[in-house]
């Protein structure tokens, strides 16, 4: 029988469908494109694919603004294509995880179209409205994408709440009808055969709008428990809650092993350290490495045997990890492998974001070539606020979401082999060197290194269940830790710098078996070369490590 917690040993691959593979030459990736690349994913060894939203949508926020939860957007294909994708993936042992955007819909969703007609309309209370006077917002809540979170509708004489763009009105979770409609819709997808769900900004659904508590409001966990009871319980579905505000304490609620809420939490504490404290992500600061280690270690310890975390350094909302945490030039290859080693050695479910397995990098485009609503709004606001153009562009190069959204680099040919037409966003010019065709043909490529790491997850139980212990916590160059279960112990040692680094702990491990390493030979003499990484294994735990 299939284990309920299969996802503890699984590796999940995230696809951003628009940028993955275009099968019909319109410049936009689509479902048939994904079907065509399933063998590539099977070969890599992943267990599940999380698809960013493909539902019908005006695409104001690239599909995170849904106008019909029960249909596929024509730019991606049809429901039949979706059924085919689920079926073909299943044949290859891959589950399809849908992205559920439940905090808001598109303003073009029929519910909102009705809701905005008037206060007494049946769907009106599907959304969050407040009385007011035109020009005087109900309170000072800001939208994540800039400006006020309130939008005036003259027909109602009211404002509606949108925590993201004005085309993404917030759903009113206090209304039981909204919740029931959502559960029925989820069940409809379960019946179609999907393997699980990633729940977009789920920490926001319990919002207490008047108290201006948006994340982790009082009703959040009761709602999650209700949703779990109604649709997730007693299934092998994997459920992943995106929660920017989760703390190790609240994570134990989201991911309680009793299954009362979700399988795991997807939190960002380690991903928001390289910015000025109390400011926005655009206000750049160098990565405080010791704090980065301490943060990851804190989560490892807090959730041990009590919860479950996602492991990731990349997704569609953050920059490329080689560019951000390491080196995307001379040491790009070893660096990409080092970051992968560091991440996959920890406890939790690892996520690979499309192109990460190739070591894809950030991009520098002309402002007119960027597409992301968040980035473009920020550009406009900061220009108006008097920031210099150079400073704004540096922020975009470092943190813009489009860094991760340039097309997947399949080949070194025109448009990276992503499309025969004109891509919806420019291809990174480094596709001539960095592409899947090249990586598949070369035994020591980053892709093949990921393949090995994924296999290790399956063969080394200690990776799933072993206890984590951080070593050399104050060291400014090396991230080293052990994972221990019973008499088995692993040492993971990673050099995060472009200089040779001392790692004395390695000396006690000279006789240990090397499971994986990213240079020609394993590290020697208690030192790590630039961006060097290794996982070593001892069967008997020796004292004094
Ligand atoms: C999540 C998504 C992001 C989207 C936002 C609003 O953070 O990952 O891409 O813009 O929610 O739905
Ligand atoms: Ca297409």
């Amino acid at each position: 029988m299939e284990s309920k917690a299969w996802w503890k040993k699984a590796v999940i691959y995230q696809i951003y469908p628009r940028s993955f593979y275009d099968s019909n030459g319109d410049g936009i990736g689509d479902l048939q494109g994904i079907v065509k690349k399933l063998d590539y994913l099977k070969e890599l060894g992943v267990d599940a694919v999380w698809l960013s939203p493909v539902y019908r949508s005006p695409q104001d926020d690239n599909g995170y603004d849904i106008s019909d939860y029960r249909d596929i957007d024509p730019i991606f294909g049809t429901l039949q294509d979706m059924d085919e994708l689920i079926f073909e993936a299943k044949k290859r042992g891959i589950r399809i995880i849908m992205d559920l955007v439940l905090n808001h819909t598109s303003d073009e969703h029929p519910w909102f179209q009705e809701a905005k007609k008037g206060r007494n309309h049946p769907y009106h209370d599907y959304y969050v409205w407040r009385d007011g006077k035109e020009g005087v917002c109900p309170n000072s809540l800001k939208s994540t994408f800039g400006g006020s979170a309130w939008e005036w509708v003259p027909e109602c004489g009211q404002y509606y709440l949108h925590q993201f763009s004005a085309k993404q009105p917030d759903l009113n979770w206090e209304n039981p009808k909204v919740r029931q409609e959502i559960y029925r819709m989820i069940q409809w997808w379960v019946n179609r055969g999907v393997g699980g769900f990633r729940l977009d900004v789920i920490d926001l659904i319990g919002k207490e709008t008047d108290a201006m508590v948006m994340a982790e409001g009082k009703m959040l966990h009761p709602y999650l428990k209700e949703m779990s009871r109604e649709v997730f319980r007693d299934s092998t579905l994997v459920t992943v809650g995106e929660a920017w505000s989760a703390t190790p304490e609240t994570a134990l609620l989201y991911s309680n092993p009793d299954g009362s809420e979700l399988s795991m939490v997807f939190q960002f504490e380690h991903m928001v350290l390289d910015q000025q404290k109390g400011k926005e992500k655009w206000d750049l600061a160098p990565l405080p490495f010791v704090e980065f280690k301490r943060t990851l270690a804190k989560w490892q310890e807090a959730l041990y045997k009590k919860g479950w975390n996602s492991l990731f350094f990349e997704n569609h909302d953050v920059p490329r990890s080689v560019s951000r945490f390491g080196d995307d030039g001379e040491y790009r290859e070893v660096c990409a492998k080092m970051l992968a080693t560091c991440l996959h050695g920890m406890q939790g479910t690892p996520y690979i974001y499309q192109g990460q397995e190739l070591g894809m990098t950030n991009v520098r485009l002309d402002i007119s070539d960027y597409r992301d609503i968040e980035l473009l709004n920020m550009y406009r606001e900061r220009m108006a606020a008097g920031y210099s153009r150079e400073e704004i562009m540096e922020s975009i190069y470092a943190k813009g979401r489009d860094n991760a959204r340039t097309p997947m680099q399949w080949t070194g040919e025109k448009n990276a082999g992503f499309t025969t037409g004109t891509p919806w966003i420019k291809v990174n010019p480094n596709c001539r060197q960095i592409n899947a065709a090249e990586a598949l043909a070369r035994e020591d490529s980053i892709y093949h290194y990921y393949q090995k790491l994924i296999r290790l997850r399956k063969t080394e139980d200690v990776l799933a269940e072993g206890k984590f212990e951080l070593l050399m916590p104050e060291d400014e160059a090396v991230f080293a830790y052990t994972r221990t279960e019973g008499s088995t112990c692993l040492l993971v040692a990673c050099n995060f710098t472009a200089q040779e680094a001392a790692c004395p702990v390695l000396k006690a491990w000279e006789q240990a078996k090397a499971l994986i390493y990213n240079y020609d030979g394993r590290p020697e003499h208690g030192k790590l070369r630039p961006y060097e990484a290794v996982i070593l294994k001892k069967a008997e735990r020796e004292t004094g490590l």
Side-chain angles (χ1 to χ4, degrees), residues 326-339:
D327 177 51
D328 59 9
E330 183 187 351
Y331 293 113
R332 185 185 63 86
E333 288 236 1
V334 274
C335 177
K337 294 173 186 171
M338 180 281 287
L339 290 170

Side-chain angles (χ1 to χ4, degrees), residues 482-503:
T482 52
R483 300 288 310 281
T484 313
E485 209 203 4
S487 61
T488 309
C489 186
L490 302 184
L491 170 69
V492 181
C494 301
N495 179 0
F496 269 69
T497 72
Q499 287 81 42
E500 187 177 274
C503 183

Side-chain angles (χ1 to χ4, degrees), residues 124-140:
H124 191 68
D125 59 358
Y126 270 43
Y127 295 88
V128 182
W129 299 92
R130 290 293 178 269
D131 295 345
K133 273 211 311 257
E134 187 169 6
V136 190
C137 291
N139 62 32
S140 60

Side-chain angles (χ1 to χ4, degrees), residues 204-223:
L204 304 182
I205 61 172
K207 57 207 156 226
E208 297 166 41
T209 308
D210 299 314
M212 309 226 328
V213 174
M214 303 319 277
E216 305 203 315
K218 275 198 284 296
M219 288 308 287
L220 167 65
H221 293 287
Y223 292 155

